[in-house]
Amino acid sequence: MTAIKQVAVTGTQHMKSLSGYLDNTNGKHDVLDFDSRNLTDPENWSREMDRTREAYGHNEPGRKGSKCTYCYHQIIAFNPDECDVNGGKMSRDGCMEFAREWVGRYYPNQEAVWALHLEHSRDGTDRYAVHIAINRTDLETGKRLNDGRASRQKTLHAARMREMDERWGLSQLERGQRNSRVHARQESRGERRAREIGSRADPGFETDQDHVRRVVRESVREVASSGAPNRMRALSEALGRRGVHMRLSRDRNLKERDLVFEYRPTYDRRDGRGQPVRKAAISGRKLGRGFTKGGIQHALRTGMAVYRTMERAMDDGREDEM
């Protein structure tokens, strides 16, 4: 599903930053394309929106004691799988047309401007994202745009985006499945914090997730070159020798059951009650696309016949060995 996020612009510094990011003449932010709606001077959109709000009395808070929302900053982030930089069908022109339809359908009476960017994730994945500034003033009614509280906005925008994706023939998010196969992984907040703390004490520090990734990679390389007839069983045994137990997820309701890697933490970790974590588990999809069932199968060049054998081998369970 195409991601949609909205942030209310309530401060002058935020507005200044957004103005720079949606500046078609500013080479700093690599704007790939630029368009607008209901504006006579798009390149000076921030100033024109300000004049409109001033004329309608919308540069002051609607309620006493609250912040004034000047405009909304929306981000439409396309699934990396759908972008032509990764072999998908959404080109730059397609992404801009998608944004044009989004604004025209849901904000027809607002002044709006949007810019297309190519975003680079930490894992090296590229994708297109459109950043949109939507002025608060409705030019037809003279009222302020109001989609309700943040929780209602989130639900409303998600429902609208699902409709858009369906019209455009884009993929929908499925329960238990990765939204993107191209997107390898995004570092969690906990993993990032552990990395920052550990790296200060030891430049060679690795998080538990990195430890499991390294162990899986080493084991896959060992088995792939071993000539073992049952490579998935051989992989399970190779991981076991390195202190990691591999099994299939127990949720049989998923469209495709994922791999789970169980391990002992390599450094002091505490649970919500402050007790030390003796045993942990993480799914392959959270480690990255190369660690899912499909990714492991591809790395080992196994077929479905071997996988069925692996299912039986991994389902018999050896948790007591951990």
Side-chain angles (χ1 to χ4, degrees):
M1 178 178 167
T2 305
I4 175 68
K5 179 181 179 180
Q6 176 170 290
V7 180
V9 180
T10 60
T12 55
Q13 186 56 48
H14 189 170
M15 178 63 78
K16 183 178 179 181
S17 299
L18 182 60
S19 298
Y21 201 64
L22 273 66
D23 185 349
N24 192 35
T25 64
N26 186 348
K28 179 180 177 181
H29 297 295
D30 298 323
V31 173
L32 301 179
D33 208 343
F34 182 85
D35 203 356
S36 66
R37 182 182 179 90
N38 295 326
L39 289 167
T40 58
D41 187 12
E43 290 189 357
N44 294 303
W45 62 268
S46 180
R47 188 182 309 163
E48 185 171 345
M49 286 185 183
D50 180 65
R51 289 198 299 264
T52 298
R53 290 193 305 274
E54 189 67 31
Y56 284 84
H58 294 163
N59 270 340
E60 298 295 332
R63 292 192 303 271
K64 186 177 180 180
S66 62
K67 292 182 178 180
C68 180
T69 297
Y70 302 113
C71 71
Y72 289 109
H73 175 196
Q74 291 189 348
I75 305 168
I76 296 177
F78 294 92
N79 186 330
D81 294 0
E82 309 282 9
C83 300
D84 62 5
V85 291
N86 299 309
K89 68 178 184 178
M90 293 300 288
S91 63
R92 296 181 182 186
D93 290 343
C95 292
M96 288 297 287
E97 183 58 36
F98 187 99
R100 192 173 296 112
E101 180 179 329
W102 171 267
V103 173
R105 179 179 291 269
Y106 300 115
Y107 307 98
N109 304 319
Q110 256 67 36
E111 293 171 321
V113 62
W114 56 96
L116 177 68
H117 296 264
L118 181 64
E119 297 189 341
H120 308 277
S121 299
R122 291 180 181 178
D123 59 17
T125 303
D126 291 342
R127 71 174 179 186
Y128 293 125
V130 178
H131 289 253
I132 312 171
I134 302 173
N135 206 14
R136 190 78 188 274
T137 303
D138 187 308
L139 299 176
E140 184 173 284
T141 65
K143 297 180 179 180
R144 303 176 200 244
L145 174 64
N146 185 7
D147 286 338
R149 295 182 178 272
S151 58
R152 182 183 182 279
Q153 290 176 6
K154 187 174 181 180
T155 301
L156 177 65
H157 294 161
R160 289 174 172 177
M161 191 56 70
R162 278 193 293 271
E163 293 176 0
M164 288 281 293
D165 281 344
E166 186 175 354
R167 285 196 299 274
W168 280 72
L170 302 180
S171 61
Q172 297 285 328
L173 181 63
E174 296 183 38
R175 176 178 174 267
Q177 303 299 309
R178 288 184 63 83
N179 191 28
S180 169
R181 297 182 183 275
V182 172
H183 212 304
R185 66 183 178 92
Q186 282 294 318
E187 196 171 49
S188 69
R189 184 178 302 174
E191 185 179 3
R192 183 167 59 253
R193 185 166 57 249
R195 189 188 308 284
E196 291 171 352
I197 295 173
S199 297
R200 287 198 291 267
D202 178 11
F205 172 83
E206 62 178 6
T207 65
D208 278 345
Q209 291 89 336
D210 282 343
H211 168 73
V212 174
R213 292 184 186 102
R214 178 174 57 78
V215 167
V216 173
R217 290 191 190 102
E218 291 173 354
S219 301
V220 166
R221 284 196 294 267
E222 173 188 315
V223 173
S225 60
S226 69
N230 187 331
R231 293 184 177 181
M232 288 304 292
R233 181 180 287 277
L235 176 61
S236 180
E237 293 170 352
L239 288 169
R241 291 192 294 270
R242 293 173 169 87
V244 176
H245 171 56
M246 179 176 70
R247 62 173 174 81
L248 283 171
S249 67
R250 297 188 175 92
D251 189 349
R252 297 178 180 273
N253 294 321
L254 297 179
K255 184 178 180 180
E256 182 179 65
R257 293 173 69 191
D258 194 14
L259 294 178
V260 174
F261 300 94
E262 297 176 341
Y263 59 94
R264 289 191 179 95
T266 58
Y267 50 92
D268 183 44
R269 286 173 55 184
R270 303 280 168 164
D271 60 20
R273 296 173 297 178
Q275 299 299 312
V277 177
R278 304 296 185 189
K279 178 180 173 181
I282 189 168
S283 65
R285 64 186 177 83
K286 290 185 178 179
L287 292 173
R289 60 192 169 114
F291 301 89
T292 62
K293 174 171 67 69
I296 295 293
Q297 284 180 282
H298 178 74
L300 294 177
R301 295 182 174 84
T302 60
M304 285 308 297
V306 177
Y307 173 66
R308 292 190 186 98
T309 303
M310 178 272 293
E311 278 191 303
R312 293 192 294 271
M314 293 170 63
D315 268 342
D316 59 14
R318 293 184 300 173
E319 287 84 350
D320 56 336
E321 297 180 13
M322 288 293 293

